[in-house]
Every structure is written in C-alpha cells, then in structure tokens.
C-alpha cells in the first residue's frame, strides 16, 4: 500500500490513539466489569454486589465520601468563583499575578503537596483528621475549580455586561443576573473536575488523617491490594462508583448543554 | 437663561486613550426627537462619542448633559438612554421574552404590565409569537429586532444605536432602515445613530455629523452635507465626487481644470486658491457641440444599473467621473457642461506645509523630530526658531523607507483629477501633505525626503521682555 496515501488520509492519524485507548481505557474497564461479576473460583456471581449492600461499612463509607466530596466542591465554588471572577475581569489590577499564584501549586505533584500540608499542620500543631482532610482536598482541587470558571468569565463578551448596565442593572445585579448565569458552564466543568475525583481519593485522605478516615477510594484500594476474592469485591465497588458518577454527570449534562461554548469539558 | 430645547448637549468633550485623542474637543447639540447620525470612517471616534453618551466611557475633559442635567460621571444604569449594540448582545441564557423584559424586571414593574409591554414591543419590531424562542435560534436580523425591542421597551428619552445594521446583508439592511425610520416617527424619541455607511446616513437622518480622527468636520442635513461639503474629506467620504484644485478669480467666477467657470460662491477674495467639488451626476455629458464648456475623451464606461459611470479625460488632462443615464463608448469624444449652482467651492485648509523648526547650524534645521539639510538663509543662524515652508509638490516619497530622512505612512489619499494629494503621517504623529503623480496605497510605508533648496525658512521674531 502506498505509504503517502495512507498517511494522507486524516482518519488514519487517529489509529495510535484508538490503540492507546483500547488498551488503557476500554480493556481495563472491561476487566473491572469482568472481575466484578465473578467469585473467587471464577464463576459468574452477583455476590460482590450483594455484599456491598449488606456490609454497612462500605455503604457508610460511600455515603460519607459523597458528603466529603460535596463539602469540598461547595467550598471550592465558594472560594474559587470570586477568585476566578476577579482574575478574569480586567478592571481589577494584577490579575496575572493572582492567576500565577493560584496555578503555581498545580506545578507540584499532588502527593508532594499533600505531604507538605501534613508537615505544615504538624508544624503549627493542628491535629490531623476530618478538618485537615477537607482543607487538604479544597487546597488540592481549588485550581481545578478556578480554571474553568476563569475561562468562561474571561471569554464572556463584555457587551453582555454593558447591555445589562444599559438596561438599568447595578454592578451587583449585573453580577447576579448576567455574569453568574453565563458562567455556569464553567462551574459545571469545575464541579465535574472536583466532585468526582474527590470521592475516589485515597492517598490524600490517608495522609491527612493518619489513616483514621477512609474514603471510598481507600476501600477499593485496600481490597484490590489484598487480592484474591477481595479483588472481585474491589472491582464491584469500582463499578458501583463509576455507575453512580456516570449517572450524576448524565443528569447534570441535561442542563449542561451550553458547556460547548465554555468551560473545560 | 432660556431653557434649551436640546436633549443632549456634548460640551467640549475630549477622550484620550494612552495619550491619543479619540475625541478632540467635540461639541454637539441634539434636539429632542431628532434622528442624528454620527458618520465617519472606522477609528474616527464615532463609537467613542456614543459610548460617552451611554456612560460606558468617561470623557477625559468636557461635559455631557441630558435635559440640561450633567450626566458626565453618572453610571450607565442611571441614564435615561438605552443602547442597541452592534453585536446585539442578547443574553444567551434568557429567551426572547426574558431578554426583552430584562429592563422592566429590574425596575420591578408589575408582572401583568411587563407582559403587556413585552407584547407591544415585540409587535413593534414585528416579532410577535417569538416570546419563548431561544435567542440562539434566531437569525441576525431577528436578533437585531429583539435587541431594539429590549431597548425601546424601557421608554428611553434617547435611543443610541451603534452600527446596528452593520452585520446584516444588503437587502435586510434596506428593510431595517425603513423600519427604523418608521419606528423613530412612531416613538417620537431621539435617535443617535452611529454608522460608517454614508448611504445609510443620508437615508435615515434628520442631521448628519461627519467625524474624522476625533474631530467633527461638519454638521448638517443630508442635503447640506451632500451638496455643500465643507472640505475635501467630507466631499470624498459622502458620495462620489471629483475634487479639483481651483482658483477663485473673483466673486462668482472660479478657474479649474484649465477653464474659467461661473459659479454662485462669493466672499472668498480675489485669486484665492480653493478646492472645487463636482458631483459625477452634476456633470452634463453629450456629443461635442457649442454649448460644451470642456471637451474630453471617454476612457471607460460601466453600466451601474440605473446609470452609466464614465471616466473621461479632458483635453487639458484632468480625469473626471461622470454619471449619466446615457452611456458613451470608450474613445468617444464628448462635451461637458456644469451649471454654476452645481459647482461647490471650498476654502483650502492649507496651501503649503508649515512646520515649526529650530536651526542646528547655518545649513541644518530641525523639524518633524529630525534634522534636515537646507540652504543657508541670510540672517538665520544656529539656535534660531524658524517657520519652515515646504510646497506640497516638493516632498519626495521613497518606496524604501530607509531612503528617507523621516518615515511615515500614507494616511489619506485624495485624487485631484490630475494628481494625488496625500496626507502622510510620520511615526511621531505629525502630518505632512504631498502632491504626487505616483500611485500609493492607504497605509503604505514611505521614506520622506525634501531637497535642501526646497526648504524655505522664515525667522520667528522673538520678543523678549
């Protein structure tokens, strides 16, 4: 076959990506599904799922994880939205410096950041635990909330604001009735990037709570590490988490339609 | 003092951006109920002026009054004006109804009344039954109508329109022009309309304000502006025109294109250099006969739908554009005639370049931010302040900007029938004026040279106390 003709077809350029995704996304997913539905002897079984609903501990951890994720996401929006707003609006001075300061922690590996947070808490004698965990999660995930919001606000046409002012809106009314609604796609992206990874976090929660608090991610990780029949249970837990996250983002997606012209996802 | 019947008064307003004047001492009064168009090429300051009236920009100096009340520093939401934006700026998160109702909801108008007024506003712009449509699904013309409805529903005293039709196609634009005229009559409020389209301005306005580089050139009715332009820029910008150098021999007698003509202008003084504007449709063209004032040869002829547009070269070598219902073939001999009242005579803004300079030694003078070689003049020595005179014809433009003593770009081109009159803006922002037969393009980067013997100096006498 003529090489140059082969390379000339644009569709052929996607082949490496398709291969990559097949091996590292689709195949692992299939493996998770496969292990979730078999028992230790390799026979088909729904026991792993039954176990999840019978074992109050897993269920409790799962609900607790969602709670933590919600609190984290809430505070990330609370802190991140105004930060993104101030950075994006040219009228405020030194937005560049602020952007750099917020993005700067992202240059450092998330585990290193968490370990230094632990060291910092140690140093100022703050006990590790739930409070430290939430602080750490907010600190780790805040940039992922700020960036998409910043992006949508910055790309927002200035004339929307002027039109609102022209129609009689005060600064506050402009913010509430125009800026916030138009920047919602950015907020949705931010939620997707903060909420979901938080549920499956395990290293951060272990470090920041001295292993006292376990999030859903930790439970999955522990079971998978033990192996054997536990591996199947861990796979089932992973699948449950994926399905629930998938459902929430599907429901979010209905109103999230606008995100095609803003946001990160 | 009597109460003025002006609704908007712009009083010596200037606006600077980074030291550059977007508006330079603009004074303008607009009567209640008038349809005023601010017209000019892009970058002339027309939008800045509108934004100052709307409140999105605060003038560097000067004042703006609405109904006699100084609103220069009042924020936009407290002004009795509403704006129709060029790019519509409809809120994407709201449907048509909520977009139109936006202003009324902010004012906490009762729900029933909002509904009634939205309906009537939509009816006015011909968009009944579109209430619950998403704004993204509307065409450009429909969005523009919603933008107009959103503005007029607040019953502003003044409606500001910033090139509202610029994004529409020609047919739609013509329709909307007519509708805007009707709307203006029906609403009875003052319209201030910004456009770069001279035809739109002539069609719509009661009054046209022609702007250029932040300065108002002329204010007048469409017929005034068209028939009596005050300078070559206005003549050139509004409609097609032939602009020629001329001399006012005495009252009612003017010489141009190598002939003397009767005209109706007086008061210029005898033998004064002037600019003459001839509209292409005012030139009569016919087979050569005794009534011809000039003889010419047709160079080209284009059919324009209603009329023919011909370029003719007179026997004296002047190129003129002529429009007539009757076409003449290229190479055909024709006679031309102009009626006295169709000759528009304008005072020349300048007849030569004049700069302020300072002698660095006997044969060098510094002006236009650089040093030029000149002939020595008696009694003028180093350190003297001088006035530098250079004729339009004596400035040499170089293709390669490195060949010039100074560099600049071609800022404005005026064809004068047998030569081009260029405005060259130097890198330091000074203007100089050049007559040339060479063809340059707007924005061309040129080198500027002046031969030493063409620099004429006059000492400025300094009076020391």
């Amino acid at each position: 076959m003529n090489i140059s003709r082969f390379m000339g077809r644009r569709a052929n350029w996607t082949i490496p990506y398709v291969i990559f995704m097949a091996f590292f996304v689709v195949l692992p997913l299939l493996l998770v599904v496969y292990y979730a539905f078999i028992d230790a002897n390799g026979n088909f079984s729904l026991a792993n799922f039954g176990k999840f609903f019978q074992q109050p501990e897993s269920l409790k951890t799962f609900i607790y994880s969602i709670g933590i994720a919600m609190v984290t996401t809430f505070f990330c929006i609370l802190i991140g939205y105004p930060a993104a707003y101030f950075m994006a609006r040219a009228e405020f001075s030194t937005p560049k410096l602020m952007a750099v300061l917020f993005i700067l922690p992202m240059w450092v590996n998330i585990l290193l950041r968490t370990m230094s947070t632990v060291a910092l808490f140690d140093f100022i004698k703050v006990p590790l635990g739930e409070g430290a965990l939430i602080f750490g999660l907010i600190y780790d995930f805040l940039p992922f909330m700020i960036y998409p919001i910043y992006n949508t606000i910055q790309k927002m046409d200035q004339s929307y604001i002027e039109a609102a002012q022209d129609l009689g809106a005060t600064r506050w009314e402009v913010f509430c009735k125009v800026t916030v609604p138009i920047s919602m796609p950015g907020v949705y992206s931010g939620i997707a990037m903060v909420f979901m990874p938080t549920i499956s976090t395990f290293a951060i929660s272990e470090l920041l709570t001295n292993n006292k608090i376990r999030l859903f991610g930790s439970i999955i990780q522990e079971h998978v590490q033990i192996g054997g029949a536990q591996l199947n249970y861990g796979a089932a837990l992973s699948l449950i988490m994926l399905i629930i996250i998938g459902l929430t983002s599907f429901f979010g997606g209905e109103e999230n339609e606008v995100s095609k012209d803003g946001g990160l996802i | 003092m009597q109460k003025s019947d002006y609704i908007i008064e712009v009083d010596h307003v200037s606006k600077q951006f980074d030291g550059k004047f977007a508006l330079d001492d603009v004074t303008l009064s607009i009567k209640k109920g008038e349809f005023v168009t601010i017209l000019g090429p892009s970058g002339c300051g027309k939008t800045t002026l509108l934004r100052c009236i709307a409140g999105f920009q605060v003038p560097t100096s000067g004042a703006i009054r609405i109904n006699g009340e100084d609103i220069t520093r009042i924020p936009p939401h407290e002004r009795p004006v509403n704006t129709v934006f060029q790019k519509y700026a409809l809120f994407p998160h709201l449907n048509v109804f909520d977009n139109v109702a936006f202003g009324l909801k902010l004012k906490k108008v009762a729900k029933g009344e909002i509904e009634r007024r939205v309906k009537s506003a939509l009816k006015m712009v011909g968009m009944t039954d579109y209430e619950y449509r998403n704004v993204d699904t509307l065409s450009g013309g429909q969005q523009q109508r919603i933008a107009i409805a959103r503005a007029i529903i607040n019953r502003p005293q003044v409606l500001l329109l910033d090139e509202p039709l610029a994004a529409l196609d020609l047919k739609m634009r013509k329709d909307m022009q007519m509708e805007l005229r009707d709307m203006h009559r029906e609403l009875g409020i003052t319209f201030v309309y910004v456009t770069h389209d001279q035809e739109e301005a002539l069609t719509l306005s009661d009054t046209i304000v022609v702007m250029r580089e932040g300065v108002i050139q002329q204010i007048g009715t469409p017929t005034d502006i068209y028939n009596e332009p005050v300078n070559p820029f206005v003549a050139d910008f509004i409609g097609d025109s032939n602009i020629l150098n001329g001399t006012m021999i005495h009252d009612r007698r003017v010489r141009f294109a190598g002939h003397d003509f009767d005209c109706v202008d007086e008061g210029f003084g005898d033998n004064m250099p002037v600019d003459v504007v001839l509209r292409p449709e005012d030139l009569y063209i016919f087979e050569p006969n005794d009534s011809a004032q000039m003889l010419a040869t047709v160079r080209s002829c284009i059919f324009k739908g209603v009329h023919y547009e011909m370029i003719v070269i007179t026997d004296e070598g002047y190129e003129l554009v002529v429009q007539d219902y009757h076409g003449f073939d290229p190479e055909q001999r024709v006679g031309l005639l102009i009626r006295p009242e169709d000759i528009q005579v304008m005072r020349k803004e300048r007849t030569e370049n004049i700069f302020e300079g300072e002698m660095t030694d006997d044969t060098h003078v510094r002006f236009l931010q650089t040093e030029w070689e000149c002939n020595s003049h008696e009694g003028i020595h180093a350190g003297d302040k001088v006035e530098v005179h250079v004729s339009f014809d004596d400035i040499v433009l170089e293709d390669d900007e490195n060949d010039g003593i100074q560099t600049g770009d071609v800022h404005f081109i005026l064809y004068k029938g047998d030569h081009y009159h260029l405005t060259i803006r130097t890198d330091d922002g000074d203007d100089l004026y050049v007559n040339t037969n060479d063809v340059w393009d707007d924005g061309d980067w040129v080198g500027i040279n002046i031969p030493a013997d063409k620099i004429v100096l006059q000492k400025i006498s300094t009076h020391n106390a």
Side-chain angles (χ1 to χ4, degrees):
Chain A
M1 191 181 181
N2 189 330
I3 281 266
S4 74
R5 245 192 36 217
F6 179 77
M7 296 299 283
R9 288 196 44 205
R10 204 186 302 179
N12 294 332
W13 288 81
T14 61
I15 289 173
Y17 301 101
V18 171
I19 294 172
F20 177 86
M21 283 188 289
F23 269 97
F24 294 97
V25 181
V26 180
L27 190 65
L29 268 175
L30 291 176
L31 284 175
V32 168
V33 175
Y34 172 71
Y35 281 115
F37 284 100
I38 58 170
D39 59 19
N41 306 319
N43 301 320
F44 175 79
S45 147
L46 288 174
N48 296 321
F49 295 93
K51 196 169 158 195
F52 171 70
F53 292 103
Q54 281 154 11
Q55 256 193 4
E57 213 220 328
S58 303
L59 200 60
K60 251 170 62 192
T61 311
F62 187 65
I63 292 163
Y64 180 74
S65 300
I66 290 177
I68 291 282
M70 280 165 75
V71 171
T72 305
T73 311
F74 174 76
F75 277 106
C76 278
I77 295 174
L78 203 68
I79 302 167
Y81 195 96
Y85 178 76
F86 291 129
M87 269 157 44
R89 296 303 309 275
E91 68 208 65
F92 301 104
S93 55
T94 64
K96 277 240 175 67
L97 178 72
M98 230 173 122
V100 169
L101 285 178
F102 272 109
I103 302 302
L104 200 68
M106 285 177 85
W107 296 348
V108 179
N109 178 282
I110 199 162
L111 280 177
L112 282 179
R113 257 187 291 158
T114 309
M115 283 157 98
S116 44
T117 312
V118 173
L120 185 72
F121 279 166
D122 247 15
F123 181 72
I124 56 172
K125 304 252 174 337
V126 173
L128 298 177
E130 194 176 59
L133 173 62
I134 290 170
F135 177 90
L137 287 172
I138 293 169
Y139 171 61
D140 278 335
F141 287 105
L142 189 58
F144 296 99
M145 181 62 78
I146 291 178
Y147 192 72
I149 299 175
Y150 168 77
N151 233 356
T152 40
I153 298 181
Q154 206 199 19
K155 277 196 224 134
M156 190 173 104
D157 197 333
Q158 179 72 18
S159 64
Y160 294 138
I161 291 162
E162 288 183 352
Q165 287 176 330
D166 188 73
L167 293 166
T170 60
R171 272 168 163 275
W172 177 243
E173 284 167 331
V174 171
F175 180 77
C176 295
K177 297 193 177 195
V178 176
T179 311
V180 169
I182 292 181
S183 62
M184 278 323 275
V187 177
Y188 295 141
S189 296
I191 290 172
M193 296 187 65
V194 173
F195 184 75
M196 298 173 199
T198 310
I199 296 180
S200 56
T201 295
F202 65 90
I204 298 171
S205 56
E206 283 168 15
L207 286 166
L208 279 169
T209 64
N210 268 338
N211 259 335
K212 267 180 248 149
I213 296 177
R214 291 145 77 221
L215 294 185
F216 202 56
S218 320
I219 301 215
I220 297 173
Q221 187 254 350
E222 281 160 17
H223 287 289
V224 173
Q225 222 166 31
I226 295 164
Q230 300 294 341
L231 178 75
N232 298 335
Y233 184 50
L237 292 181
S238 301
L239 198 61
I240 290 166
M241 187 180 74
L242 273 173
I243 289 166
I244 290 175
I245 289 174
L247 283 178
T248 50
S249 63
F250 179 73
F251 286 126
E254 297 279 296
E255 52 191 324
N256 207 350
E257 200 186 306
V258 260
S259 68
K260 60 179 182 287
D261 41 42
L264 216 64
I265 299 186
Chain B
M1 225 168 79
Q2 73 182 87
K3 194 180 179 299
S4 78
D5 56 346
Y6 293 120
I7 185 157
I8 302 176
E9 289 162 286
V10 178
D11 188 2
H12 297 285
V13 163
S14 294
K15 175 72 187 175
Q16 277 176 296
F17 292 112
D18 304 326
K20 276 188 148 180
F21 278 99
L23 294 175
D24 192 353
D25 197 23
V26 168
T27 296
L28 172 67
S29 299
I30 296 171
K31 283 202 209 79
K32 213 174 166 73
E34 227 180 342
F35 196 131
V36 176
T37 300
I38 305 169
L39 174 68
S42 61
C44 73
K46 55 188 191 298
T47 296
T48 307
L49 178 56
L50 195 80
R51 290 172 62 80
C52 283
I53 298 173
F56 303 129
Q57 239 131 41
V58 178
T60 314
S61 64
I64 298 173
R65 285 185 291 277
I66 294 183
N67 283 329
E69 188 195 339
D70 191 334
I71 50 124
T72 319
R73 263 150 234 288
I74 284 183
H77 68 270
E78 289 172 23
R79 298 188 183 204
V81 303
N82 281 120
T83 308
V84 177
F85 293 85
Q86 185 178 353
K87 285 183 290 171
Y88 321 133
L90 295 179
F91 304 122
H93 59 293
L94 301 177
N95 64 18
V96 169
F97 183 95
D98 289 330
N99 260 285
V100 177
F102 195 87
L104 297 182
K105 281 186 179 166
L106 287 170
K107 289 193 197 95
K108 308 267 188 293
V109 175
K111 222 173 166 198
E113 175 161 2
I114 291 181
E115 221 150 282
R116 199 175 48 72
R117 278 169 71 177
V118 168
K119 278 214 161 64
S120 85
L122 286 176
K123 193 174 167 213
M124 180 136 206
V125 296
M127 293 289 288
T128 314
D129 296 338
Y130 280 85
E131 281 99 327
Y132 301 105
R133 285 280 289 275
N134 195 328
V135 291
D136 295 339
T137 63
L138 303 179
S139 72
Q142 291 172 326
Q143 292 196 22
Q144 190 55 275
R145 285 160 196 269
I146 300 303
I148 292 168
R150 186 178 67 174
I152 59 175
I153 197 170
N154 304 292
R155 298 176 183 155
Q157 298 182 37
V158 180
L159 186 66
L160 306 172
L161 302 108
D162 183 8
E163 307 220 22
L165 308 183
L168 304 181
D169 62 52
L170 185 68
K171 177 84 175 61
M172 179 74 89
R173 204 153 64 221
K174 300 262 179 207
D175 292 347
M176 283 299 285
Q177 283 175 9
M178 289 306 121
E179 282 180 46
L180 278 172
R181 269 181 77 104
D182 294 344
M183 231 178 270
H184 174 245
R185 204 169 306 134
E186 217 168 306
L187 291 167
I189 59 175
T190 312
F191 277 36
V192 181
Y193 192 98
V194 160
T195 184
H196 64 271
D197 183 338
Q198 45 105 2
E199 200 200 314
E200 202 162 280
L202 293 172
T203 312
L204 291 172
S205 329
D206 298 321
T207 303
I208 296 178
V209 180
V210 184
M211 287 189 71
R212 181 196 182 193
E213 296 187 356
V215 179
I216 291 181
Q217 304 289 308
Q218 188 170 5
I219 303 175
T221 63
T223 39
D224 278 352
I225 302 266
Y226 190 82
N227 292 331
E228 314 273 331
V230 293
N231 60 34
F233 171 80
V234 176
D236 185 61
F237 192 71
I238 312 277
D240 298 320
S241 49
N242 297 291
I243 303 171
L244 301 172
N245 286 334
T247 308
M248 205 67 191
I249 300 166
H250 50 74
D251 281 356
R252 294 169 169 273
R253 191 79 178 154
V254 61
R255 168 183 303 217
F256 58 85
H259 293 273
D260 292 358
F261 296 85
D262 285 331
C263 64
V264 294
D265 298 87
E266 298 177 347
F268 284 83
D270 293 349
N271 293 315
M272 278 301 284
V274 291
D275 283 313
V276 174
V277 177
L278 307 170
R279 294 293 182 185
E281 67 275 16
D282 289 339
L283 285 160
Y284 290 87
I285 184 166
F286 40 81
E287 305 263 341
N289 64 28
D290 287 347
S291 64
Q293 290 168 314
M294 288 186 285
L295 292 172
T297 308
V298 177
R299 191 210 265 168
S300 69
C301 177
I302 300 166
F303 182 54
K304 288 271 195 174
V306 179
H307 62 264
Y308 291 90
E309 184 167 289
M310 289 158 277
I311 293 175
V312 303
I313 315 282
T314 69
D315 290 355
E316 292 75 23
Y318 291 89
E319 190 179 305
L320 298 173
V321 180
V322 183
Q323 289 171 356
D324 203 284
Y325 297 121
H326 189 71
F328 290 85
D329 294 328
E331 303 306 320
Q332 203 173 336
R333 296 282 294 159
V334 291
L336 297 172
L337 179 117
I338 312 153
R339 295 191 307 163
E341 57 270 34
D342 289 336
I343 297 172
Q344 165 65 11
V345 179
M346 303 180 297
R347 206 174 287 279
K348 271 198 179 298
E349 286 169 311
R350 62 192 74 77
T351 51
E352 60 176 350
N353 290 295
I354 299 174
F355 310 107
E356 274 185 24
E358 189 180 340
M359 303 304 291
T360 48
D361 61 45
D362 278 2
T363 58
H364 286 88
V365 56
R366 192 175 171 76
F367 63 93
L368 290 178
Q369 315 281 346
T370 186
E371 199 175 272
W372 307 78
E373 196 183 332
C374 60
N375 288 353
S376 61
H377 286 57
E378 203 173 315
I380 299 182
H381 303 292
D384 284 350
K385 299 252 187 260
V386 289
E387 205 175 68
V388 182
H389 295 253
V390 183
S391 158
F392 296 148
D393 300 313
D394 293 335
I395 294 177
V396 183
L397 300 180
E398 310 283 355
D399 258 323
D400 186 344
E401 69 266 21
N402 296 320
D403 294 342
I405 301 284
Q406 177 58 288
T407 57
D409 60 325
V410 177
H411 201 63
F412 183 58
I413 303 171
L414 203 60
Y415 187 57
K416 287 281 192 89
D418 64 340
H419 67 272
Y420 292 95
H421 185 68
L422 306 182
T423 305
I424 308 292
R425 178 156 296 178
T426 69
D427 304 346
D428 306 306
D430 298 307
D431 284 344
L432 46 99
Y433 304 90
V434 182
N435 285 343
T436 174
N437 289 316
D438 300 329
V439 179
W440 297 91
D441 277 328
D442 214 356
D444 275 351
W445 202 246
V446 294
I448 302 160
N449 278 327
I450 307 172
D453 59 326
K454 304 294 188 190
I455 296 178
V456 180
L457 303 176
Q458 252 172 40
K459 191 167 174 177
I460 301 173
S461 45
T462 45
H463 301 281
N464 291 329

